[in-house]
Amino acid sequence: GAVVSQHPSWVICKSGTSVKIECRSLDFQATTMFWYRQFPKQSLMLMATSNEGSKATYEQGVEKDKFLINHASLTLSTLTVTSAHPEDSSFYICSARTGTGDNSPLHFGNGTRLTVT
Amino acid sequence: GQNIDQPTEMTATEGAIVQINCTYQTSGFNGLFWYQQHAGEAPTFLSYNVLDGLEEKGRFSSFLSRSKGYSYLLLKELQMKDSASYLCAVNSGFQKLVFGTGTRLLVSP
């Protein structure tokens, strides 16, 4: 069964509005979650590492003021796309590990398809 | 920098064997993962290699050569449902996975 739950599965919003995406770990605590973005026919690009109780770590080129990440509890991380524009339309996927070893694979949520009109 | 390369697309016939290659140059290496991703869905874990050699899991096998910065995923007895993208990902340290460009595999009857 699913170990990471992501909501919503898809969202359509108007340009200039903000959208919040939730990522929950089921039956395990995730001190660290990862947010990825995937454009059509491209691979996953890591946006940021979400750390429970502290600030997220953003990858180079990702605007931290535009993509707000909050990891308020051990089972929930949220990504808010602020002042969304059509170029932000993409597939956003969160992930987490159930273990701490290097061989522990990432488990992905089902993703959120964002369309900005 | 981080660089992970895979072929963009491959085609194969049902029942055949296909090998998907991945070469990598990363600042750190704590293992290599292979994921399968069907269109519009999240990736699912296939295999993990950290030591040189071959790991076999049913119809799927994965090979790693750390000295060459090279891995491959071998799919045997191909089925139509194997049509998907296959993503090579390197654990570059601090638990971060860096993904390759992905290989779209099309299996035909």
Side-chain angles (χ1 to χ4, degrees):
Chain A
V3 295
V4 177
S5 174
Q6 189 172 339
H7 178 81
S9 299
W10 58 271
V11 58
I12 301 173
C13 71
K14 292 187 177 180
S15 188
T17 60
S18 295
V19 173
K20 180 186 281 188
I21 301 169
E22 292 187 348
C23 180
R24 294 181 185 274
S25 57
L26 306 178
D27 299 326
F28 73 100
Q29 295 180 335
T31 55
T32 303
M33 291 185 176
F34 302 90
W35 287 95
Y36 287 84
R37 179 169 54 182
Q38 186 176 34
F39 291 105
K41 297 189 177 181
Q42 295 186 24
S43 192
L44 281 76
M45 295 298 295
L46 180 64
M47 298 177 66
T49 302
S50 173
N51 304 298
E52 188 271 334
S54 64
K55 291 183 179 180
T57 305
Y58 291 82
E59 295 300 300
Q60 192 173 6
V62 178
E63 299 174 59
K64 62 180 181 181
D65 294 330
K66 179 169 183 63
F67 299 99
L68 301 178
I69 291 174
N70 185 290
H71 197 148
S73 78
L74 288 171
T75 59
L76 174 64
S77 174
T78 61
L79 168 68
T80 302
V81 183
T82 63
S83 187
H85 291 284
E87 57 265 30
D88 298 324
S89 298
S90 187
F91 192 50
Y92 293 85
I93 314 177
C94 70
S95 61
R97 284 192 170 84
T98 53
T100 57
D102 286 331
N103 63 341
S104 181
L106 279 180
H107 295 279
F108 289 88
N110 284 329
T112 299
R113 188 161 301 284
L114 171 64
T115 302
V116 185
T117 61
Chain B
Q2 321 278 38
N3 195 34
I4 302 175
D5 287 321
Q6 306 176 232
T8 305
E9 285 187 356
M10 298 183 72
T11 58
T13 307
E14 200 173 10
I17 299 173
V18 70
Q19 176 174 314
I20 302 174
N21 296 324
C22 170
T23 58
Y24 64 89
Q25 288 179 306
T26 55
S27 54
F29 182 82
N30 286 335
L32 185 145
F33 293 83
W34 283 94
Y35 282 83
Q36 180 191 62
Q37 185 180 27
H38 285 98
E41 298 180 10
T44 55
F45 168 73
L46 288 179
S47 68
Y48 172 77
N49 294 71
V50 67
L51 299 176
D52 290 352
L54 188 69
E55 294 282 341
E56 296 188 74
K57 252 187 185 182
R59 294 192 297 117
F60 294 1
S61 302
S62 56
F63 172 83
L64 175 68
S65 168
R66 289 171 298 171
S67 62
K68 294 181 179 178
Y70 167 70
S71 173
Y72 67 72
L73 179 69
L74 192 71
L75 293 77
K76 303 175 185 175
E77 301 169 16
L78 280 174
Q79 302 175 9
M80 298 295 290
K81 66 179 183 179
D82 297 329
S83 291
S85 287
Y86 291 85
L87 309 176
C88 168
V90 172
N91 182 340
S92 61
F94 304 103
Q95 298 198 355
K96 283 169 45 170
L97 277 195
V98 179
F99 281 83
T101 49
T103 300
R104 284 194 301 278
L105 173 66
L106 176 63
V107 180
S108 58

